[in-house]
Each structure stands twice: as C-alpha cells, then as structure tokens.
Amino acid sequence: MKFCANISFMFSEASTILERYALAKEAGFKAIESGFPFGCTLEQVKQAKENAGIEQVLINLKTGDTTKGELGVTAVPGKEDEFKENFRTTIDYAKAVQARKVHIMAGKMDTVTPQNWETYENNLKYAVDILRAENLLGLIEPINQYSVPKYFLNNFTKAVEIIKRINSPNLKLMLDVFHLQQISGDLSHAITNLMPYVGHVQIAQVPDRNEPNTPGEVNYEYILRHLAESGYNDWIGLEYKPLGNTKDGLTWIKAYGYSL
C-alpha cells in the first residue's frame, strides 16, 4: 500500500500550496496529489515540485472561483467552451508536473435536467480524446451531498454507467471512501463491485474528514486490507484535514503496519 499526500488538504501550516511540496517531502512522502493550484503559474508549480524532488500523481481540473463554490462546468449546458479551455489548461499543468491522472470535476447546480447529463457526457468524450493522445487518465468522482450540497455527480451507479458507455481506458472512477460511505455505505461489497472501474482511491475518516485513525464510522485498518485484497495496488490519496500538525498526525501509518 502506498500513500500520497493531498497538499490541498494537508500541510495547511504552510502559507502557500507551493511550500507544501517541500513539507510533504520532509514528512516522508514520495508523492503528492493536489487541487488545481490557483494563483500559481505553471512554471512556479513545476519548480516547486522539482525542487522538492517528489512525484505528483494527480491534479484536479481548473474549476473557476472555488471561493464562490465553483467546482467546474463539465455538466453545465452553454459552457462547453469554458470547460474545454479549463481542461486544456489543466492538461498543460499535468504535463508540466508529470501527473498521470486528472480529476474532472462536474460542477454544482440547483436543478438537474437530462440536458445536464448529455452535456456532461459529451464533455467527457471530448476530454477522453485528449487524454488518449496525451496518455493520461481522467477520473470522475461522486461527491456526497453533505460535504458539497448540489454537486452534480453524487451517485456511484451513475458514474459507472457513464464510464461503461464512454468505454475508454482513459476514463475511470475516483473512489473516495469518505464519499462512498456517506453516499451508499456497504463499503465491503461496494469496493468489490466498483474495483473494475477504479483508477484512483482516496481516504478520510467519516464524518469529520480527519486522519483515518480518528473517531468515526470507518474501520480503515480493515478497509485498507480489503482494498489490497480487491486488487488495488496504486496510490491512495490522503485527502483529509489533519487535526493538528500534519506530520504529527501521520503516526497512524506505522500503527496500521505501513510506511511511506
């Protein structure tokens, strides 16, 4: 089992996301993942990653103003050009930091119509063509309605249906156990059934999104074993909010029998 730090959530003791690359390396991580680095140029991000001497596994789609709750326009009719521009920009950043995975966020909306689903799927088809040419993997992630109300993609069954229809090795499922527990529960069977479609895994305790060994609903000692037994052997993103200092909170990794 190998873990990568999500530096958009972890190392908040640093003032900028650029500084978090070095902090992740100092904490012992070999790899990181991140949201889109708003406010940072491509060269700044590339330099921070290279200076830290750390691998970047994944980057999120450029989504718009996150302070206003904008989490992408992939499923928004009439904003196809904005999606394409944001996607192309994200691909440039992904290539610069040599990230092989891109999380394509869907967006939020008050009312969902069939046109939203049609737009979402068409935009994903556009993305898949580029991902194939660049040898990158696109990921779609169902997000629970408690953490992000009105997020468009909030159903694992529908996500898998779309992945099946598009039928491309360059589009897979982001399985965040934090969201899976709050959307459907039944983690053991759900993980087993979803595994053929999974391209990346993330974890955090439920419901407070802290370290896996903090009080909560999920027994991560069991879940991590179950993921391995189900055939998952890729990076697991630690997308949690540390209760205190990030490095001090990493003791659970050794306690669970793993290492960085």
Side-chain angles (χ1 to χ4, degrees):
M1 199 61 65
K2 52 185 184 178
F3 303 103
C4 60
N6 188 305
I7 58 172
S8 296
F9 280 74
M10 304 174 77
F11 303 103
S12 59
E13 50 266 31
S15 58
T16 71
I17 194 169
L18 297 176
E19 295 171 342
R20 299 183 190 192
Y21 281 89
L23 289 178
K25 180 70 172 184
E26 290 170 13
F29 285 98
K30 297 179 178 66
I32 65 98
E33 61 182 28
S34 78
F36 189 85
F38 288 97
C40 302
T41 68
L42 184 151
E43 281 302 322
Q44 286 175 321
V45 176
K46 181 180 179 181
Q47 196 64 54
K49 182 253 185 186
E50 291 178 354
N51 287 347
I54 199 166
E55 180 180 349
Q56 180 145 358
V57 173
L58 174 150
I59 188 170
N60 280 10
L61 177 71
K62 183 180 179 182
T63 54
D65 191 344
T66 54
T67 65
K68 295 179 181 178
E70 296 176 1
L71 294 175
V73 295
T74 312
V76 182
K79 293 195 173 185
E80 289 85 354
D81 289 344
E82 182 179 341
F83 165 76
K84 291 175 182 178
E85 181 180 352
N86 287 345
F87 186 74
R88 287 193 294 265
T89 298
T90 306
I91 293 298
D92 289 341
Y93 274 75
K95 290 167 65 178
V97 297
Q98 298 180 305
R100 307 308 304 168
K101 300 177 183 181
V102 177
H103 173 202
I104 307 171
M105 303 193 76
K108 295 166 62 177
M109 55 205 63
D110 293 325
T111 304
V112 175
T113 69
Q115 192 177 6
N116 292 118
W117 288 106
E118 182 180 355
T119 301
Y120 184 58
E121 201 158 329
N122 285 340
N123 279 334
L124 289 175
K125 289 175 181 176
Y126 166 85
V128 159
D129 287 339
I130 295 175
L131 292 163
R132 183 187 304 114
E134 299 290 354
N135 192 29
L136 300 174
L137 178 64
L139 300 164
I140 58 174
E141 177 186 27
I143 293 178
N144 79 81
Q145 293 291 290
Y146 304 106
S147 300
V148 185
K150 301 179 182 179
Y151 190 75
F152 175 74
L153 186 64
N154 53 44
N155 184 296
F156 279 87
T157 300
K158 287 186 177 180
V160 169
E161 288 173 353
I162 290 170
I163 291 169
K164 285 181 176 179
R165 280 198 297 272
I166 293 178
N167 190 28
S168 166
N170 298 92
L171 184 67
K172 292 193 175 184
L173 182 70
M174 171 98 83
L175 195 164
D176 189 331
V177 179
F178 172 79
H179 294 302
L180 181 62
Q181 167 66 4
Q182 295 180 86
I183 291 172
S184 65
D186 191 20
L187 294 180
S188 296
H189 295 108
I191 289 170
T192 299
N193 293 334
L194 292 170
M195 193 52 62
Y197 311 100
V198 171
H200 193 66
V201 169
Q202 294 176 328
I203 62 173
Q205 187 56 274
V206 179
D208 295 328
R209 205 167 198 159
N210 300 133
E211 286 90 341
N213 66 332
T214 54
E217 299 176 14
V218 181
N219 177 351
Y220 271 108
E221 285 190 89
Y222 167 78
I223 289 299
L224 290 170
R225 287 197 305 270
H226 184 58
L227 284 164
E229 290 166 359
S230 298
Y232 188 76
N233 59 5
D234 204 345
W235 293 102
I236 293 182
L238 306 184
E239 196 182 51
Y240 64 72
K241 299 178 293 185
L243 280 175
N245 178 276
T246 301
K247 190 172 181 179
D248 293 342
L250 294 174
T251 55
W252 67 269
I253 294 175
K254 185 176 180 180
Y256 282 10
Y258 304 107
S259 65
L260 291 177

